[in-house]
Structures are given as structure tokens and as C-alpha cells.
Amino acid sequence: MTFDHRDAGTTNSAWLSADGWAGVEPMDLRAVELLVVVAAHPDDETLGAGGLMATAHAEGIPVVVIVATAGERSHPDSKTFTPERLTVIRRAEVVAAIDALAPGAAVQLLGLPDGELRQHVPALAAAVTACIGDHSTVLIASPWRGDGHPDHTAAGDAARAAANAVGATLAEYPIWGWHWRAPDSAEWPWDRIRTLALSSDAVAAKVSALELHRSQTEPLSDAPGDEAIVSSSFVEHFRRDFETFVVTRESAPTPSAESLAQGYFDTFYEGRTDPWGFETRWYEERKRALTLAALPRRRFGTALEIGCSIGVLTAELADRVDDMLATDIAQAPLDAARERLAGRSEVRFERRALPQEWPDESYDLIVVSEVGYYLSPDRLDDLVHRAADSLNDGGIVIACHWRHPVSDYPMRGDDVHEAFRRSAGLVRIGGYADDDFLLDVFGPPGTVSVAAAEGLA
């Protein structure tokens, strides 16, 4: 997502008047033994979770704050403040702000590079996991992965990995999402929003802490490039008497929290040529027709199909692709797919476990149909990032998944599509939804509609 902090954005009053708040549930801290707050940059912790920190401290809950970067690139056009000088300023500000919110809280300043957090997700996840120790009921608060800022998404990914590893609850706080999203946005997860009511003392502590981040809330100087990042209108989102979190999991991991292994599929296909009824069910035929109709281009040069199974969809995609790599984790369905498309030189079949065995190619089309829910949350996030990074200019990712729960699967179809929708490297340009399945079409930021591409709009 591309946005400019200088734009007016969605107002706080527009958010507060949204109908969605009526169904939101409160957050309960009574069982929490440790609060770990993850920030991509100094001030994230105060803007998104300052009231949570103050509330936890007042209730005697230990607080640990991990700040991934020094935010040294907050003013890239400044001619008066170097990144080195901003590092010193912002580190001092964040330590003072945290002390105002939760005196005595443990603070870790990791010093990872600002703007490059995606390359350091494992290190950040390891730092979060290490600070949890033997605590059994842990709440991790991190930037919301749908926030639109790449560093915020990366920090959220790291926090989620840590939460999965230890069975912690993850509560993600929006920051820039208040600015560029709208309350009626399809991607705003009202069903998983939780709110924490703040006492007058917690609100006062948060306001004081915000004022300590002067390098962000006030101009560095009168020179161009030194303007305030957090404007007076934007900061209103963070002066409310409640804070908002997207709660992604509220219980410990189950045995199905890991990706399904190859053996699961080998066993599933034993003695079964079409276990899902791809060839016989109207449901499957209709879904394929909708998938093909949703493709925004008549033909594609190169394509990757992940989890091709016995090749029924592959055969129909092949009519619109010049060169396609179709993969599956299991050998039996691949053999059936090869037989089905014998003589079709435009299609290659390879046995691969994706995303970890991702091919070294780029594509005009990537098809992720009925496979994402087999992956763990971490593997799914990896797949989304690899797909976005593997697109050629004007490339398309199409995702389609069953929505009903399956006890064996680590995730639901809705969770898979949410992971794609919050990707900073993809924008949703179309799709379809009913009670049974979701179909989403994505392109890189800046992708235009079919009509716009043909000069009709």
C-alpha cells in the first residue's frame, strides 16, 4: 500500500461514527502474566499500545518493550538532521516515553535498519521469543500486519512467529491503517477487533508519552523535509479513551498449527484418482469457470500454479498461458496431471514443497488455488511475500479457497485471503465471494483495471 502521511486521511470522527463498533468485544487482561510490546520504530509503541502498557503496569503485569529500529529514516528529505543524529534523538525519546507509560519496564533497542525490517524478521522473532521465558500466559502486542507500512508488516510477522512458537495471544495495533483505510473497507477486520477501555490515568500517561516523541509530533526545524510526521489531526486517533487491537489468536497452538506434511497427501491420494471430485462435481466446475473469468488478461506469458493436484484446472489455464510451471507436493497427483496434459509442451510439472522450494523465476500469473490453508501461518506469510516478489511488471496473483472449516487444516480459507489482502506488495483488484469460497485477484500497487488498461475508463 502506498500512502502519504501528509494527506488528510480518514478523520477520527469518521472512524468513531462507524457502525462496526457496535459488535466489537472488549479485551480482557485478567489472565495475562506478561505483556510484550513490539514496535517497528520508536513511537509505534506509544501510538498503538501506550494505553495498554499503562493499564498493564497499573495492574502489576510485567511489561517488556522491543523496539526493532531506531527510526533513523523518518525524515529522508531532511538537510539538517542526519540518520545518525535522529538515531540518538529517537532512542532517547522512546526510553522516556516508555518510562512515562510503564516505569521500570524492560526495554530492548535492537537497532535493526529502518526500512529494511523484512530482511530481519527471524532476528526480531527470536528476540521476542527469548524475552518470554517461562511465562505461560503472554500477550504480545505488535503493529497490525495490514497497516500498509512494510516495516509494520514485518514486525507483525515476527510477532506472529513468536506467538505461534510459545502459544501466546497476539494483539495487533493499527497505526497508519487509521489514516488510509476507511471504516467500510472490506479489509478492515471488524470481526476480530477488540478494544481496551482506558482509565483517565492511562489516557493522561499516553498523552504525556506522545508529547515526548517530539521528533515525530513537531517539526525538526523550519527547513523543507523537517516537517512533523505525526500531524495534529492524525494524532487524534491515538487520544481516544480506548485502544484498538486485531486479535489473531486467543488460545495456544493446536497440533494442526504446523503445515501439513507430504505424508498427509501421499496417504490421502492412496487408491483415489480424484479424491476432491474435480472431474465430477458442479461445485468444482463452477469454481473453475469463475476463476478463469476473473483473470484480467486474455493471455499470460509465464505462470506458476501451486498445488496443481491432478491437473484439471491446469488444463484450462494452459489454454491461456505460453509457459506454465505446475507444482504439487505429492507424486501421485503429479503423475495423473502429466498424463492428462501429455503433449502439452507449454506445461512443465515439478514436485515441490512451496514456499520453501520456491523456483528462481518470475511470472506473469501465479495461481494459489485450494492450497493456502494447508500451511502454517508463518509458511503462508512466506508464500505471500514470495508470490509478490516473483511477479513481473503487470503480473497477477489469483487466490481461491474453500471457506468452511476442516479440522485437519492449520488455517481457514478466510485466513489465507486475509494474509494476501494485508500484503504491502499486493493490491486487490477484483474477486468474488459466497458462503462456500473466496476468490481474490491481486496485482502490484498501481495495477489498473481492465477497462483502464484498454483506455475505456
Side-chain angles (χ1 to χ4, degrees):
M1 176 64 199
T2 301
F3 61 87
D4 192 323
H5 69 277
R6 294 166 295 189
D7 293 340
T10 307
T11 65
N12 185 47
S13 59
W15 276 105
L16 293 180
S17 62
D19 295 335
W21 298 110
V24 168
E25 298 178 11
M27 179 179 285
D28 188 351
L29 302 182
R30 286 177 295 181
V32 176
E33 297 179 0
L34 174 69
L35 170 64
V36 180
V37 177
V38 180
H41 316 99
D43 83 348
D44 291 344
E45 80 300 324
T46 301
L47 290 165
L52 171 62
M53 294 163 60
T55 301
H57 177 73
E59 295 182 5
I61 300 171
V63 177
V64 176
V65 186
I66 299 176
V67 186
T69 80
E72 67 274 13
R73 294 177 59 187
S74 65
H75 290 75
D77 298 325
S78 176
K79 305 300 183 184
T80 56
F81 282 72
T82 64
E84 292 75 18
R85 185 178 178 188
L86 281 170
T87 294
V88 175
I89 292 171
R90 298 201 68 184
R91 281 181 167 175
E93 288 176 345
V94 74
V95 170
I98 293 169
D99 191 56
L101 293 164
V107 182
Q108 296 184 30
L109 307 178
L110 301 186
L112 299 173
D114 186 9
E116 301 176 20
L117 205 49
R118 171 54 52 197
Q119 288 74 44
H120 300 274
V121 168
L124 179 54
V128 177
T129 303
C131 76
I132 290 173
D134 296 330
H135 293 91
S136 58
T137 308
V138 178
L139 176 63
I140 301 176
S142 73
W144 178 41
R145 286 165 293 156
D147 213 37
H149 190 301
D151 276 356
H152 290 193
T153 303
D157 287 343
R160 181 170 188 170
N164 289 339
V166 301
T169 295
L170 178 61
E172 301 173 73
Y173 50 84
I175 295 180
W176 290 110
W178 299 119
H179 177 69
W180 64 269
R181 287 195 185 271
D184 58 355
S185 167
E187 289 79 20
W188 187 258
W190 283 113
D191 59 326
R192 295 189 295 108
I193 293 289
R194 303 290 183 271
T195 54
L196 178 70
L198 303 180
S199 68
S200 58
D201 288 343
V203 172
K206 183 173 182 177
V207 170
S208 297
L210 281 170
E211 292 174 350
L212 292 169
H213 286 287
R214 293 187 182 89
S215 69
Q216 305 304 295
T217 60
E218 300 175 5
L220 297 176
S221 75
D222 294 333
D226 284 356
E227 297 84 2
I229 302 300
V230 179
S231 67
S232 57
S233 59
F234 180 52
V235 81
E236 290 304 312
H237 297 291
F238 309 102
R239 293 178 177 269
R240 303 169 184 166
D241 60 359
F242 66 94
E243 285 182 335
T244 305
F245 301 90
V246 181
V247 177
T248 57
R249 186 175 60 194
E250 297 179 289
S251 60
T254 65
S256 65
E258 298 298 324
S259 297
L260 295 184
Q262 176 188 317
Y264 176 93
F265 299 97
D266 291 339
T267 300
F268 191 82
Y269 278 103
E270 279 184 8
R272 309 165 78 181
T273 58
D274 185 14
W276 279 286
F278 292 138
E279 298 174 305
T280 58
R281 289 176 176 158
W282 164 241
Y283 166 80
E284 294 292 345
E285 182 180 347
R286 171 179 175 266
K287 184 178 65 177
R288 286 195 301 276
L290 286 166
T291 299
L292 292 163
L295 293 175
R297 289 163 56 182
R298 182 178 287 113
R299 288 200 64 80
F300 295 85
T302 57
L304 170 65
E305 183 187 9
I306 302 171
C308 66
S309 187
I310 62 174
V312 179
L313 177 60
T314 313
E316 299 189 40
L317 288 167
D319 293 335
R320 297 175 62 176
V321 175
D322 297 330
D323 178 40
M324 180 161 62
L325 172 60
T327 71
D328 203 279
I329 194 174
Q331 191 63 49
L334 272 179
D335 291 342
R338 282 195 181 97
E339 183 177 350
R340 182 184 303 277
L341 280 86
R344 300 292 296 269
S345 60
E346 67 270 32
V347 183
R348 296 170 288 132
F349 292 97
E350 293 182 8
R351 183 172 179 174
R352 289 175 180 261
L354 299 183
Q356 58 269 42
E357 296 176 351
W358 197 267
D360 295 326
E361 301 173 38
S362 58
Y363 301 96
D364 301 313
L365 172 65
I366 298 176
V367 180
V368 187
S369 181
E370 306 292 8
V371 293
Y373 40 57
Y374 298 138
L375 302 176
S376 68
D378 294 344
R379 284 275 168 84
L380 175 62
D381 288 339
D382 188 21
L383 185 147
V384 172
H385 290 303
R386 288 176 183 266
D389 290 344
S390 298
L391 287 181
N392 292 324
D393 290 344
I396 294 297
V397 176
I398 190 163
C400 184
H401 291 86
W402 175 255
R403 303 189 74 177
H404 302 289
V406 180
S407 59
D408 286 352
Y409 299 171
M411 306 188 76
R412 299 176 306 133
D414 285 32
D415 299 324
V416 174
H417 284 249
E418 183 184 332
F420 277 98
R421 291 176 182 182
R422 67 173 174 256
S423 169
L426 297 171
V427 293
R428 184 178 184 272
I429 59 173
Y432 170 83
D434 63 23
D435 290 343
D436 296 325
F437 71 91
L438 286 175
L439 173 66
D440 279 331
V441 184
F442 301 93
T447 300
V448 300
S449 70
V450 174
E454 295 194 347
L456 303 175

